[in-house]
DNA sequence: CTGAAAGCGCTTACAG
DNA sequence: CTGAAAGCGCTTACAG
């Protein structure tokens, strides 16, 4: 025997072993199937004894359900996403679903990767990348895979979405800075098309004005990266008015921004300028950064995603909707100081 | 029609369209199949026109090849791995393979995740987690999926491996520090069972002695994390001799260590103490860190992995082996100073 | 070089 | 409640 071909246990084997028909054995694995409870138990017991699991390929050929969720990632320089990716994967796997990845180096490679992935007919797709072109959603849906946008809205507002109230988050940051006596605010903007960026900015700026402060200045950093934040920090000196309180589009931008401000123009944080981030990634809590930030309620967001995934994998017609969770708490650490005393 | 069931194009459709048999159409997709070249071209042309792709589930039911590679991840607090994960995925997808993830929060959950993944009979598995128990490899191979350990050796030395010469890397660090006049060295150890940790330590310590320096002291940080590095930095003061040159098990440990040393005991880096990391993750180049470090030749490592993956997915019997690449260059940045002058 | 037929490992109407 | 049969979308000996 030249090839030691791997011989998996099949329904047939199990059926013979149990003295039942394959139909009966098969039914044991479907909760809704009509089968005597005693029979089901016997089958399941024996199955786990001999290590039988239905072949998912054969299953999905018939059921048209694959238990596969496609995950689209690209911009992983933001530590927020690796964290989400692995935790979400773990959660989904607990529900018996498996995660397939689509990833590409160049932004244009992602389309091809998604196509390849669609070949496996995932029950749904989850998009973690911030820069996915919107036509990708249509391609997925045409292939029978609804898509969930995690932590962002699709450009056209369609599709499924899991998002936080980023407008409210922006407002909170403005209120917090206003309460502590800050006067001249700044928003450091990242990827201009990202809904998170747009909403945070909007909430922050509007609330600042509502509190009677001048309309916040804005620096366009352009990307959700450390480097973009750093450059923004350096460019602070070009601003007509020197701000005393800043909200950055997210943590990684804030961390870069602080560094740029400190090294580039020698301002001290928080003595000279207060900075708030957004996300509360693990790095924000590091002693190097001690970043005050608005947390994302990650657990809730992921639980909601997992639940929606289960729904999409089960039911045929689920109405498209976007879940808007409330933002997590503002986590006070070391990058915001009170300006109260100096006011008086 | 209540259910708008998604109707995929099948071989039958394409065969009818072309006036051929399904056998012929099928053969067009297999380079080794016996088929007239003109026929193949016609089939492929029409297929791409109407968007037909063979159903991989039906395919693998027969071929026993799935084009799926299982990727096992767990410890993603180390930024090295997300980077590897996404770039490797992109590479593999270019070869027509898809990546399925196994991830778990608790270390013991990973076994279950791997089992679920094995259900899909991946052609091979790639292990990125540093803490995978060795029996997992046997489970995978028993299920017909050979496993590649990326950037580590399995405990028993079996399986496939892609690794760098970490002993040589450790030596280089020792030489570099010795050349610059350092005298009292320290190795900050991370996960004690990890082959990378063991080898780097060994190369570093042995070479230091070979250069006539006292045997380096060792702090056991215990993990490949920022927190462990930070704690190690704080504990520096407990050492009998204060070291002037340090190699940390990897970059993230080094970054934490530097922070701990600076904040905790007020030593300056590199004026009072030089620190070298390992990996050259993106973060090491950030202005906040400017970490001198020994780079991993990531491109080569990933290319080697992708090639091995292709081989494993194609051939039946590939001999188990571990590739030992040469380490990347020592990247000089800002955390090592010369002690030459003070020596004289 | 091509086609008809069997079969991969399952599920699911259809009878009983 | 259970079983025999058809069939999911493919590939691959086997004839011709």
């Amino acid at each position: 025997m030249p090839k030691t071909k791997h011989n998996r246990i099949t329904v047939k084997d199990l059926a013979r072993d149990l003295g039942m028909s394959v139909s009966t054995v098969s039914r044991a694995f479907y909760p809704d199937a009509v089968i005597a409870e005693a029979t089901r138990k016997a089958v399941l017991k024996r199955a786990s004894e001999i290590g039988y699991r239905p072949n998912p390929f054969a299953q999905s050929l018939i059921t048209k359900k694959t238990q596969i969720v496609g995950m689209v990632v690209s911009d992983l320089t933001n530590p927020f996403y690796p964290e989400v990716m692995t935790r979400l994967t773990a959660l989904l796997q607990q529900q018996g679903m498996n995660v397939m990845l689509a990833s590409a180096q160049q932004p244009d490679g992602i389309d091809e990767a998604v196509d390849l992935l669609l070949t496996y007919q995932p029950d749904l797709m989850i998009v973690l990348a911030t820069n996915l072109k919107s036509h990708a959603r249509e391609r997925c849906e045409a292939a029978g895979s609804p898509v969930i946008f995690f932590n962002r809205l699709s450009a056209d507002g369609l599709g499924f979405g899991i998002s936080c109230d980023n407008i409210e988050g922006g407002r909170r940051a403005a209120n917090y800075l206003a309460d502590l006596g800050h006067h001249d605010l700044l928003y450091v903007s990242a990827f201009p098309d990202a809904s998170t960026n747009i909403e945070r900015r909007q909430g922050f700026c509007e609330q600042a004005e509502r509190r009677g402060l001048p309309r916040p200045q804005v620096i366009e950093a352009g990307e959700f990266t450390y480097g973009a934040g750093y450059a923004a920090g350096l460019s602070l000196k070009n601003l007509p008015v020197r701000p005393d309180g800043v909200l950055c589009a997210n943590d990684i931008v804030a961390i870069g921004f602080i560094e740029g401000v400190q090294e580039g123009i020698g301002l001290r944080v928080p003595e000279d300028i207060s900075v708030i981030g957004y996300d509360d990634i693990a790095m924000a809590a590091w002693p190097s950064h001690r970043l005050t930030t608005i947390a994302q309620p990650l657990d809730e967001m992921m639980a909601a995603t997992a639940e929606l995934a289960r729904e999409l994998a089960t039911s045929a017609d689920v109405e498209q909707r976007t879940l808007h969770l409330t933002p997590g708490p503002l986590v006070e650490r070391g990058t915001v100081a009170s300006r109260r005393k100096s006011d008086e």
Side-chain angles (χ1 to χ4, degrees), chain A:
Chain A
M1 46 189 75
K3 276 192 178 180
T4 15
K5 208 62 232 127
H6 179 66
N7 280 325
R8 240 181 174 245
I9 303 170
T10 72
V11 241
K12 258 186 205 161
D13 301 325
L14 184 52
R16 193 182 313 119
D17 181 296
L18 286 161
M20 300 175 185
S21 73
V22 289
S23 323
T24 303
V25 169
S26 171
R27 278 189 267 261
F29 292 88
Y30 290 79
D32 296 339
V34 184
I35 182 176
E37 203 44 48
T39 316
R40 162 174 285 138
K41 270 187 190 144
V43 172
L44 261 26
K45 180 165 172 291
R46 191 79 189 112
S48 85
E49 279 171 15
I50 64 177
Y52 167 76
R53 286 212 195 205
N55 180 325
F57 298 135
Q59 281 184 308
S60 61
L61 221 42
I62 301 182
T63 63
K64 304 299 176 196
K65 289 293 180 183
T66 58
Q67 305 281 73
I68 292 177
V69 359
M71 200 173 273
V72 184
V73 304
S74 94
D75 157 40
L76 287 196
T77 48
N78 180 357
F80 179 70
Y81 286 114
E83 196 174 331
V84 168
M85 185 167 57
T86 53
R87 291 178 60 184
L88 208 44
T89 299
L91 217 59
L92 258 10
Q93 288 194 308
Q94 280 170 27
Q95 293 183 187
M97 317 188 78
N98 266 294
V99 170
M100 254 193 184
L101 238 43
S103 161
Q105 290 305 89
Q106 301 84 349
D108 39 314
I110 199 73
D111 276 6
E112 216 174 326
V114 167
D115 273 350
L116 182 59
L117 208 162
L118 283 176
T119 272
Y120 284 83
Q121 304 169 64
D123 290 343
L124 69 148
M125 304 278 282
I126 298 179
V127 173
L128 295 185
T130 49
N131 56 358
L132 190 80
K133 287 157 201 140
S134 66
H135 67 86
R137 183 182 58 74
E138 286 153 26
R139 299 255 293 307
C140 293
E141 288 178 355
S145 307
V147 357
I148 301 180
F149 291 95
F150 187 90
N151 196 38
R152 68 184 288 256
L153 276 43
S154 65
D156 50 14
L158 294 176
F160 296 88
I162 304 290
S163 179
C164 279
D165 189 340
N166 289 291
I167 297 181
E168 174 59 21
R171 280 194 206 114
R172 283 192 196 172
N175 278 332
Y176 183 67
L177 290 174
D179 288 346
L180 288 174
H182 294 77
H183 186 263
D184 297 299
L185 304 191
L186 166 70
Y187 179 77
V188 178
S189 165
F191 187 60
D193 292 348
S195 62
T196 45
N197 184 59
I198 295 170
E199 295 175 1
R200 287 163 196 177
R201 171 181 176 160
Q202 181 190 337
F204 184 71
C205 292
E206 287 179 359
Q207 188 64 17
E209 292 191 292
R210 210 168 286 134
R211 292 291 300 263
L213 305 180
R215 179 157 192 90
Q217 301 175 87
V218 174
I219 295 180
E220 297 286 351
E223 288 183 323
F224 285 104
T225 63
Y226 175 93
Y230 187 80
L234 294 183
S235 76
L236 187 70
K237 59 173 179 295
N238 304 327
L239 252 31
V241 179
R242 205 243 272 170
D244 56 4
V246 183
L247 173 65
C248 291
N250 77 352
D251 283 351
I252 200 74
V253 169
I255 288 171
F257 178 80
I258 290 173
E259 219 58 49
V261 157
Q262 286 179 159
E263 294 204 16
I265 20 184
L267 287 186
R268 290 162 307 159
V269 176
E271 293 82 353
D272 299 319
I273 184 171
S274 297
V275 179
I276 301 180
Y278 210 114
D279 282 349
D280 195 24
I281 57 178
M283 203 183 291
W286 289 4
S288 340
H289 307 301
R290 300 203 179 290
L291 182 67
T292 294
T293 187
I294 295 172
Q296 297 255 36
L298 257 195
D299 287 333
E300 286 89 332
M301 289 172 80
M302 294 196 305
T305 308
E307 198 190 308
L308 184 52
R310 195 206 310 253
E311 204 177 325
L312 287 171
T314 314
S315 321
D317 278 308
V318 184
E319 206 185 342
Q320 296 202 344
R321 61 176 186 268
T322 296
L323 264 62
H324 270 278
L325 308 181
T326 50
L330 190 150
V331 183
E332 299 185 277
R333 283 194 275 250
T335 53
V336 172
S338 173
R339 312 259 174 257
R340 275 274 161 247
K341 286 170 202 159
S342 53
D343 277 358
E344 289 159 16

